[in-house]
Amino acid sequence: MNLDELYRETILDHNQSPRNRRALENPTKTVGLLNPTCGDQIKLDLQLEQGIVRDVGFTGQGCSISMASASMLTEAIKGQSIDDALALAQNFKAFLTGTPSRLPLGELEALQGVSQFPSRVKCATLAHNALEKMLAESDESS
Amino acid sequence: MIEPLVDVARDFPILQREINGHRLVWLDSAATAQKPNQVIDSVNDFYRWSNANVLRSVHTLAAEATTAFAESRRDIARFIGARKSEEVIFTRGTTEALNLVARGLGDSLTKVGDEIVVSPMEHHSNLIPWQQLAKRTGATLRYVELAQDGTITVDALRAVIGPSTRIVALSKVSNVLGTVNPIQAAGEMVHHVGGIIVVDGAQSVPHEPTDVQQLDIDFLAFSGHKMCGPTGIGVLWGKSQWLDQMEPLQYGGEMISYVDRDTATWAEVPEKFEGGTPNIAGSIGLSAATRYLSNIGMKKVHQHSQALGQLAFDTLYEIPAVTVYGPGRPHGAAIAFNIEGIHPHDIAQVFDSLGIAIRAGHHCAQPLMQWLGVGSTARASVYLYNGEQDILRLREAILETKRYFRR
Ligand SMILES: Cc1ncc(COP(=O)(O)O)c(C=O)c1O
């Protein structure tokens, strides 16, 4: 097992200096999610405007994989439509279980090594699950 | 140099494994202990040569199995100083044992206005059964306050145990902090007001001599798999006077005396609580584990676990940017720690790449994590097959983890 396969440089970088790690002042949507196996939690705030993610922030605590993954996700979805953001989250999750992504994943591809560490897949998808949960809820309200 | 207490190469083949190019160092015994050949062979031999159901048939194998099952109960009773082997009830483990007391006796023992006392360091399995009991009967769940270093003082017990206390439920040794709790003092206090004390021995019975008479407690729960025995077998020991009043939770075969179309009466203790075919092989494996431990001597096991636990505590304490939890002395076999700026999951991942197995997470003790003000910790835990060499590997691994994450 090669540790560097898991902890790529990009991941260590996002973990050391996470992007968008802040609570938004007036989020349109907020969702919290807990990883019960380790007690880690994440809170995701979205500022939506006419179906577009105008701003996004996350807070919480977790391992380097979950924090880096959240950081990359926020960068990737800023400025995207809700549908595109959701598609990204879904493609990324499939990608981690070995299904090639139909969308470019950008920096998130650095998390590919996680697929060899089944116990860490939950960490890498925590933010994505939070996003999915939030957007599913927004469906219900509209 | 502290050497392992046993011939590791002879008794524990699993510890000869190489993990990621390194000899496996098992520092996760608080989660589950490795099993010596003596235990594995006893289970294999039973299935291979003696397998039969117990308490049912007249044929030779059934008689052999029934005798072996009864002897296992006797061995385990002797191991914990029980007066009668009938006071040993087989369960799946600590969790099932604690749920059995909480439901089987707790419901008739508590009502609105009564109090149940627990501590914030309890494993979820010695907490949630009592939370739920309080919800069912309207009793109040109260917490003994921990001192700064995570210990429970006699004064803190005095502050919370009072005339309304019906049940005190405490672990003897914490699975996170390695603290050793004043069980005897708590027992005296609650007996004084006519209540009972239930002890979670999951982390104490594997590591120290246990004498339920001397401890003067009412119930003791523990798991076979943390003391070199198989998974799926554990014990609830209880004083006869309470077991006679306690209600069974599993209705079915073997636990009855007389049944007609509308009614049934119960068998005697312990069968009353052991409805269905029991874990016969598990009980035989657990008794083999008690023999294995007794041959070494539980006093020696205790000295070894404490010496290594304290060495690990001191070793980690001296490393910059490492926080170790719990008291320095005495410290049990589990050592919880954190490295500044590195999440426990990441610590455990680097450790695994070095062949070292530790636990990372909340250790089924979320209220304790809240009390410590952390989300989770890493935890190393030692047992009789560990030696000083393993603590040196632990130290090296921490330094390597810090290097890897540049901390
Ligand atoms: C202190 C303590 N209590 C209870 C348990 C639960 O034991 P089991 O999972 O074997 O039922 C454990 C171990 O996980 C423990 O460490």
Side-chain angles (χ1 to χ4, degrees), chain B residues 93-95 123 125 175 200 202-203 223 225-226:
Chain B
T94 307
T95 304
H123 189 284
S125 72
N175 65 319
D200 174 351
Q203 298 293 343
S223 299
H225 69 94
K226 293 184 200 283

Side-chain angles (χ1 to χ4, degrees), chain B residues 131-329:
Chain B
Q131 270 183 1
Q132 292 298 317
L133 171 62
K135 283 215 175 94
R136 285 197 301 278
T137 65
T140 307
L141 191 64
R142 296 195 60 190
Y143 284 83
V144 56
E145 287 306 327
L146 304 183
Q148 200 123 49
D149 64 356
T151 52
I152 294 175
T153 64
V154 172
D155 282 343
L157 288 172
R158 213 170 275 131
V160 72
I161 299 174
S164 308
T165 310
R166 307 305 306 147
I167 300 171
V168 172
L170 283 180
S171 49
K172 179 134 198 322
V173 173
S174 160
N175 65 319
V176 180
L177 300 172
T179 45
V180 182
N181 293 327
I183 293 301
Q184 260 161 311
E188 263 172 44
M189 279 178 220
V190 71
H191 287 153
H192 194 68
V193 295
I196 63 164
I197 181 162
V198 178
V199 176
D200 174 351
Q203 298 293 343
S204 68
V205 176
H207 292 282
E208 61 184 43
T210 301
D211 185 331
V212 290
Q213 302 303 330
Q214 196 194 330
L215 279 173
D216 195 18
I217 55 180
D218 300 286
F219 286 95
L220 176 71
F222 58 99
S223 299
H225 69 94
K226 293 184 200 283
M227 51 191 285
C228 297
T231 52
I233 187 82
V235 168
L236 176 67
W237 169 86
K239 269 191 189 148
S240 290
Q241 87 186 80
W242 298 118
L243 294 180
D244 290 341
Q245 298 180 31
M246 194 164 91
E247 286 295 321
L249 301 189
Q250 299 287 332
Y251 304 119
E254 235 97 74
M255 54 77 64
I256 46 79
S257 167
Y258 175 78
V259 182
D260 63 26
R261 285 193 172 205
D262 297 314
T263 59
T265 55
W266 307 151
E268 295 297 314
V269 175
E271 281 80 20
K272 171 168 100 171
F273 302 109
E274 297 178 355
T277 299
N279 184 352
I280 308 164
S283 77
I284 288 169
L286 179 52
S287 104
T290 63
R291 276 196 304 281
Y292 184 78
L293 293 169
S294 297
N295 282 342
I296 299 161
M298 284 309 289
K299 276 207 178 108
K300 268 170 81 179
V301 172
H302 189 209
Q303 282 164 4
H304 183 76
S305 291
Q306 274 208 342
L308 269 190
Q310 287 171 5
L311 177 69
F313 184 94
D314 294 348
T315 304
L316 300 201
Y317 193 82
E318 279 171 15
I319 305 176
V322 171
T323 307
V324 204
Y325 302 100
R329 298 279 185 282

Side-chain angles (χ1 to χ4, degrees), chain B residues 33-44:
Chain B
Q34 296 303 347
K35 327 301 177 200
N37 281 328
Q38 290 85 336
V39 168
I40 298 168
D41 290 346
S42 75
V43 173
N44 275 346

